[in-house]
Amino acid sequence: MKAIFKNTYILLTTALLASFASGCKKDFLSVKPPTQIPSELVWKDPALAQAFVTEIYNGLGNGGFPEQMLSSVTDESLFTHPNRGIDLVNAGIINPTNLGWVDDTWAYNRMYNRIRSCNITIEKLSGADNGITDKNIKDQLLGEAHFLRAYFYHQLTRFYGSVPLITKVYALDEDYAVKRSTYEECVNFIVKDCNDAIKELAGKSTQKGRTSALAAMALKSRVLLYAASDLHDSPTARSKSKGVISGYANPEFLGYITGDRMQRWKAAQDAAKAVIDAGSGYKLSLSEKASVKDGISNYKSIAMGGESKAPGIDPSASSELIFARYFIDRSDNRYARANGPNGYHNWAGNTPIGLMVDDYEMTDGTKFSWANTAQKNAPYQNRDPRFYATILYDGAGWKPRDKVSGNVDPANQIQTGEYDLKEGNTVINFKGLDTRGSSIENWNGSWTGYYMQKFTDPDPAIVDASMPQFVPWPFFRYTEAVLNYVEASIELGQTDQAIVWLNRIRFRSGMPAVSSTSQAELRNIYRHERRIEMAYEEQRYHDARRWMIAEETLGRQPTYIKVSGKFKSGQTMSAPYHYDTSVYDYTYTPTIETAQESRLWAEKVYFRPFERDEVFKNKELKQNPGY
């Protein structure tokens, strides 16, 4: 950096001397700063207007790829590094003065800053006071602004319940006190914005990473599905509540207090079907299950979004993405480093917990169980193919380790256990390279015994600890709309159609068909399928809440796995260690450990609190229940 500043100084000095020497004008410094453009000029120039709208996309952040992931406030993963606020959320002790972890992509004030930019865009482009005469450009930018405003409001409502609906640009001297709209009003407003975006963006081709009419349809589908769910149907929510929600004086802020819930399910079904009909998805026309190998490849290809050069990854899987965050400059995404194994010099940030791993079925569609002796002895064999594309477990093959840690593991296998190892004439207890006892980076090891593979580019040429990857974050993908359609169909009693589409998802992943026609059974099958298919995609946090099953799911203590490898009689191995069932008897012990994090569900955490300062700034902002 010092060299850059020095060179810059020299260049500037040279330029100034040259200017004086050439007898330049005395007012050569009287120029408008190139980084500051008067607002009235922005809306007279299509390029400037587009730049303004493009900046609003920064409100999407890195999608679901921050260092701390939403999965770690669910029963999907554990955040390895304490005291970042995630533990406060999981303990149910957040409050208006201590919000715990808040990510920029759903923070209350940051969302409203982005909404203000959307309002400016809509106000300027909808009026006559602009110089943009090309209707296609104007409609494009308006459509993007309507979509983005809808998205930011959808983020607010699914974390906080209803919020004040702001549609104007406030001046400095105006009264900022605004009441919360009802939840129904918020849904109607978001749907209207989506419909406006669909109309304005229809038939327009967009750059990769910018929104589209189909993306607006997908957002509408999600919002209407949430609107029909248990948490947002006041009679249902109150009947399931244990006091906090049922005793809240303003149920209209949390959900619908009147109306026909079946009509809401029908609206959700229709919106999802519209996405299905307009989009294409990836390999959802199979009539029988794919092979295990193809199931793994299909799921990995979807996670890569067509952006990996790894062997076996199908670039056409990008058709699954409806709206995604693409990391074009390859400099701002360090997801793999943040979450990868410490034995590769990564940080092990968000690691899968046993509760998630155990939910992957066997390849024949039966449930995995630690009570089954054969399954307990070989827990990572014959599992749902998506498991092998999502989780890194003890003995799993992975990238070349010699690129980052030398020739300590020629087999390139994940080591999360403790193993016998012969050292001279002594048998020692060797702690695996990817444990917290690792000889490489013990402080960054997984507590759970697992690592996340999904969304990490498997290209062996990419060294996760030092190189960025180019994997997009899927805000909306086609399969989510299919799952939305399945859920609404089940709730409407239309189980036949639900089974057809549910099985198409399972066939693609290499899993057998389901056939139950019982609404209750099919609902549970569907919820399991959604948990597995959408793992680590920021769905579980909201699904467990809107189904009101958080107490029995998110409130559980996370489970870890302890792996031990002991020499079989007459067998030994010297360094370097590698996984070998002919040499070792491996034992797997599920364990509950609360030293790192003790979880306790509190009903108030169905909704996040409004920060005390926000309530002070807006006296009309009524607090959520339990806070």
Side-chain angles (χ1 to χ4, degrees):
M1 289 299 289
K2 290 182 179 179
I4 293 174
F5 289 142
K6 182 178 179 181
N7 290 339
T8 302
Y9 177 80
I10 292 172
L11 289 172
L12 287 174
T13 303
T14 303
L16 288 172
L17 290 174
S19 296
F20 281 118
S22 61
C24 66
K25 295 180 180 180
K26 294 180 180 180
D27 61 350
F28 76 98
L29 291 178
S30 301
V31 296
K32 293 181 180 180
T35 58
Q36 298 180 18
I37 301 171
S39 60
E40 65 269 14
L41 297 182
V42 170
W43 307 106
K44 297 183 183 301
D45 185 321
L48 293 177
Q50 186 173 60
F52 184 91
V53 173
T54 298
E55 199 283 327
I56 303 175
Y57 281 85
N58 284 326
L60 302 172
N62 282 350
F65 287 149
E67 183 180 348
Q68 295 171 243
M69 295 179 66
L70 200 62
S71 62
S72 288
V73 283
T74 75
D75 52 356
E76 291 182 324
S77 67
L78 177 87
F79 189 63
T80 298
H81 314 294
N83 303 319
R84 301 284 189 90
I86 277 184
D87 52 335
L88 301 181
V89 179
N90 287 332
I93 57 176
I94 57 174
N95 59 65
T97 60
N98 191 347
L99 302 177
W101 172 56
V102 181
D103 188 71
D104 288 350
T105 59
W106 41 266
Y108 187 82
N109 60 341
R110 289 183 180 272
M111 290 297 94
Y112 273 108
N113 285 338
R114 297 298 174 178
I115 288 168
R116 184 178 189 275
S117 295
C118 294
N119 287 340
I120 290 173
T121 303
I122 293 168
E123 181 179 293
K124 293 295 185 181
L125 293 181
S126 297
D129 187 24
N130 65 73
I132 300 175
T133 57
D134 189 319
K135 188 176 185 302
N136 284 330
I137 292 177
K138 187 178 292 188
D139 286 349
Q140 175 76 44
L141 297 179
L142 273 171
E144 292 183 48
H146 278 294
F147 169 85
L148 290 166
R149 185 170 70 175
Y151 182 85
F152 298 138
Y153 269 123
H154 129 276
Q155 285 290 78
L156 289 170
T157 56
R158 65 179 184 161
F159 281 96
Y160 300 93
S162 76
V163 293
L165 288 173
I166 308 298
T167 60
K168 58 174 286 187
V169 181
Y170 279 84
L172 291 175
D173 58 349
E174 291 191 71
D175 182 3
Y176 298 113
V178 184
K179 294 180 179 180
R180 292 175 71 174
S181 298
T182 67
Y183 183 82
E184 181 176 2
E185 288 170 340
C186 288
V187 170
N188 291 342
F189 181 83
I190 295 170
V191 169
K192 183 182 183 306
D193 258 351
C194 287
N195 287 336
D196 287 343
I198 293 167
K199 179 181 178 182
E200 289 152 350
L201 296 171
K204 292 181 173 62
S205 59
T206 57
Q207 294 174 307
K208 190 164 66 174
R210 301 186 84 93
T211 190
S212 64
L214 186 59
M217 293 165 67
L219 174 56
K220 178 180 175 181
S221 170
R222 180 188 291 174
V223 169
L224 290 175
L225 185 80
Y226 281 36
S229 300
D230 287 0
L231 182 62
H232 302 299
D233 181 70
S234 185
T236 304
R238 285 175 171 253
S239 69
K240 289 188 171 186
S241 167
K242 293 188 176 179
V244 172
I245 289 176
S246 62
Y248 188 49
N250 296 102
E252 70 276 11
F253 294 158
L254 311 182
Y256 288 77
I257 57 176
T258 60
D260 186 341
R261 190 181 181 192
M262 288 299 105
Q263 288 184 356
R264 294 199 290 276
W265 280 121
K266 184 64 172 64
Q269 184 191 48
D270 290 345
K273 189 59 164 59
V275 178
I276 292 173
D277 292 343
S280 59
Y282 177 68
K283 290 190 178 182
L284 282 173
S285 59
L286 300 179
S287 57
E288 57 183 26
K289 70 174 184 176
S291 67
V292 169
K293 179 181 178 182
D294 286 347
I296 296 171
S297 176
N298 291 341
Y299 198 67
K300 280 189 176 182
S301 297
I302 290 171
M304 292 302 99
E307 300 296 337
S308 171
K309 296 179 181 178
I313 299 300
D314 183 1
S316 71
S318 61
S319 61
E320 174 75 9
L321 296 179
I322 292 176
F323 179 58
R325 169 67 160 92
Y326 292 87
F327 301 91
I328 302 302
D329 64 3
R330 302 190 179 207
S331 66
D332 56 357
N333 184 10
R334 292 293 191 274
Y335 168 86
R337 180 185 63 186
N339 294 291
N342 62 313
Y344 288 78
H345 294 287
N346 298 314
W347 301 349
N350 304 270
T351 57
I353 58 177
L355 296 171
M356 179 75 210
V357 172
D358 296 350
D359 274 355
Y360 284 87
E361 295 174 343
M362 307 302 292
T363 51
D364 63 2
T366 58
K367 292 184 180 300
F368 169 83
S369 173
W370 287 107
N372 183 308
T373 302
Q375 293 175 7
K376 182 178 182 180
N377 290 337
Y380 310 131
Q381 292 182 13
N382 302 318
R383 303 291 291 275
D384 182 327
R386 288 170 291 190
F387 168 77
Y388 303 104
T390 306
I391 309 295
L392 290 175
Y393 54 91
D394 185 71
W398 193 226
K399 295 185 177 185
R401 202 187 294 265
D402 59 359
K403 291 190 175 189
V404 289
S405 301
N407 195 33
V408 293
D409 175 27
N412 302 321
Q413 296 169 336
I414 299 299
Q415 302 177 11
T416 59
E418 299 183 0
Y419 323 99
D420 284 350
L421 207 59
K422 192 75 175 294
E423 192 174 83
N425 294 322
T426 305
V427 175
I428 64 169
N429 180 250
F430 172 71
K431 293 178 173 57
L433 298 175
D434 305 306
T435 68
R436 295 191 69 79
S438 171
S439 59
I440 297 175
E441 283 190 10
N442 56 3
W443 64 91
N444 271 336
S446 167
W447 292 96
T448 68
Y450 298 109
Y451 290 94
M452 207 181 296
Q453 179 183 173
K454 185 175 179 178
F455 295 128
T456 296
D457 193 331
D459 185 346
I462 295 178
V463 178
D464 300 328
S466 59
M467 298 169 62
Q469 62 175 34
F470 192 36
V471 176
W473 171 259
F475 288 108
F476 296 98
R477 65 181 177 99
Y478 188 83
T479 300
E480 180 190 343
V482 173
L483 289 166
N484 295 350
Y485 179 76
V486 170
E487 182 173 345
S489 297
I490 291 170
E491 298 305 330
L492 290 168
Q494 300 172 15
T495 56
D496 289 349
Q497 275 300 301
I499 289 172
V500 168
W501 283 100
L502 198 59
N503 284 336
R504 288 177 180 176
I505 296 172
R506 288 175 65 83
F507 288 163
R508 179 181 65 190
S509 66
M511 290 296 288
V514 298
S515 58
S516 175
T517 56
S518 162
Q519 185 185 48
E521 287 182 5
L522 197 57
R523 180 184 294 120
N524 289 332
I525 290 170
Y526 158 77
R527 289 181 177 182
H528 169 270
E529 189 67 22
R530 187 177 177 105
R531 170 159 164 74
I532 298 300
E533 175 68 24
M534 306 301 287
Y536 306 113
E537 294 186 35
E538 294 198 337
Q539 300 280 344
R540 184 65 172 177
Y541 178 97
H542 302 290
D543 288 343
R545 283 169 168 76
R546 65 187 182 84
W547 294 331
M548 297 193 74
I549 61 169
E551 183 174 9
E552 58 264 35
T553 55
L554 309 190
R556 297 176 291 175
Q557 296 299 339
T559 55
Y560 305 173
I561 192 68
K562 291 186 177 180
V563 181
S564 175
K566 296 294 183 182
F567 286 141
K568 290 179 181 288
S569 177
Q571 299 292 324
T572 62
M573 181 183 292
S574 299
Y577 163 82
H578 67 271
Y579 176 82
D580 191 336
T581 56
S582 69
V583 176
Y584 289 94
D585 286 322
Y586 291 97
T587 58
Y588 306 88
T589 308
T591 306
I592 295 177
E593 176 59 66
T594 59
Q596 175 71 1
E597 186 179 286
S598 183
R599 298 187 176 187
L600 179 66
W601 176 254
E603 188 174 296
K604 66 179 183 178
V605 189
Y606 272 118
F607 300 93
R608 287 194 57 86
F610 296 110
E611 188 177 13
R612 179 184 62 181
D613 290 349
E614 295 295 340
V615 176
F616 285 168
K617 286 187 289 186
N618 180 3
K619 300 298 185 182
E620 298 286 354
L621 185 62
K622 291 188 177 181
Q623 188 57 269
N624 273 330
Y627 299 107

